[in-house]
Amino acid sequence: MTLLKTLLEQMIESARDLAPVVIVFALFQVLVIRQPLPPEVSVADLLIGLVSVLLGLTLFIKGLQIGLFPVGENLAHAFARKASVFWLILFAFCLGFGTTIAEPALTAVSAKASVVMSEAALIAPEAEAQRQFAITLRVVVALSVGSAVVLGVLRILQGWPLHYLIISGYALVLILTGLAPDEIVGIAYDSGGVTTSTITVPLVAALGVGLATAIKGRNPMLDGFGLIAFASVMPIIFVLLFGLIGIGGVA
């Protein structure tokens, strides 16, 4: 009974989160576009899709709260107690890489990017070349997020100031933006956005907070957060470098 109650409360919260999106779409459809729905989409389809999204979001968030958040924090505590920096760093990298390589949003962006790069004649037009580019882009982004989580963990362990690292990262982004091929710049910035997904964010945040809680002298509020910022800026840097060295070199 308690589980049903919590699910209902979570569903209400999810509905509240989805409401602005639904309202914006409805207002623009009715007041601005003023066109009927596509013939393959009916009102019933829209309602079924909306309910499915609501149920899926509710179960997904509740699953994170029940399972993944506690696991991330417990693993951080366990690694801190064992004082095993090597395994902590390895776990941090695998966490960032694993949650990113399977991210659906990244898959969509990389697939679309391969088409655009092919149309710009920066890669071969064949389907196999596009597929290889999409896979390579996903691996580059996943490697960047893994590296970002490692950097965030090292920052917590060493007590490095967060703002210096963030400022340095975005300064490097500005420099690389002026050097990289124009076609890769937008892809790089979008790659930085899609990595902060609904899977990566909870796990990385749980790792940071748990680690800062377990280490003496660290404040979870001050030291436990900031990993997500690294996970946003590092993919931009990696993809710009990929465009500069890989694509720019070929071009």
Side-chain angles (χ1 to χ4, degrees):
M1 200 67 182
T2 304
L3 180 59
L4 291 176
K5 181 180 178 181
T6 56
L7 284 175
L8 181 60
E9 292 173 351
Q10 183 61 59
M11 187 176 295
I12 294 173
E13 292 183 11
S14 299
R16 190 163 53 242
D17 294 337
L18 286 173
V21 178
V22 176
I23 291 172
V24 167
F25 272 97
L27 287 176
F28 273 81
Q29 178 69 31
V30 174
L31 300 179
V32 179
I33 300 177
R34 295 182 180 180
Q35 292 182 357
L37 294 172
E40 65 272 12
V41 179
S42 65
V43 176
D45 293 330
L46 286 177
L47 293 176
I48 292 173
L50 182 60
V51 171
S52 299
V53 170
L54 180 60
L55 290 175
L57 185 61
T58 299
L59 293 173
F60 180 75
I61 294 176
K62 198 61 187 174
L64 292 176
Q65 294 173 350
I66 293 174
L68 294 187
F69 256 121
V71 168
E73 293 184 6
N74 288 337
L75 284 172
H77 279 282
F79 282 124
R81 286 196 302 268
K82 291 180 179 295
S84 177
V85 177
F86 171 78
W87 289 111
L88 176 60
I89 295 300
L90 181 61
F91 171 72
F93 178 82
C94 292
L95 177 67
F97 184 91
T99 56
T100 304
I101 195 70
E103 169 58 38
L106 178 60
T107 302
V109 168
S110 60
K112 185 60 68 175
S114 66
V115 176
V116 173
M117 299 299 284
S118 176
E119 292 175 350
L122 291 175
I123 62 173
E126 290 79 14
E128 180 61 23
Q130 295 182 15
R131 189 181 72 85
Q132 290 295 331
F133 176 84
I135 294 174
T136 303
L137 181 61
R138 289 172 59 192
V139 171
V140 168
V141 175
L143 288 172
S144 70
V145 176
S147 303
V149 179
V150 168
L151 179 61
V153 168
L154 289 175
R155 182 194 72 83
I156 295 174
L157 294 176
Q158 301 297 325
W160 296 334
L162 175 64
H163 53 284
Y164 289 153
L165 294 174
I166 297 297
I167 292 172
S168 300
Y170 279 103
L172 184 56
V173 166
L174 290 176
I175 294 172
L176 292 175
T177 298
L179 298 175
D182 293 339
E183 293 82 3
I184 203 70
V185 172
I187 297 172
Y189 279 76
D190 280 346
S191 298
V194 299
T195 53
T196 52
S197 68
T198 48
I199 297 177
T200 306
V201 169
L203 284 174
V204 172
L207 176 64
V209 172
L211 190 60
T213 304
I215 298 177
K216 186 177 181 180
R218 296 289 182 266
N219 187 325
M221 287 300 297
L222 298 177
D223 301 307
F225 293 92
L227 274 72
I228 307 303
F230 294 139
S232 296
V233 69
M234 197 70 80
I236 303 176
I237 295 173
F238 271 55
V239 175
L240 288 174
L241 285 173
F242 169 61
L244 186 62
I245 298 172
I247 301 172
V250 174

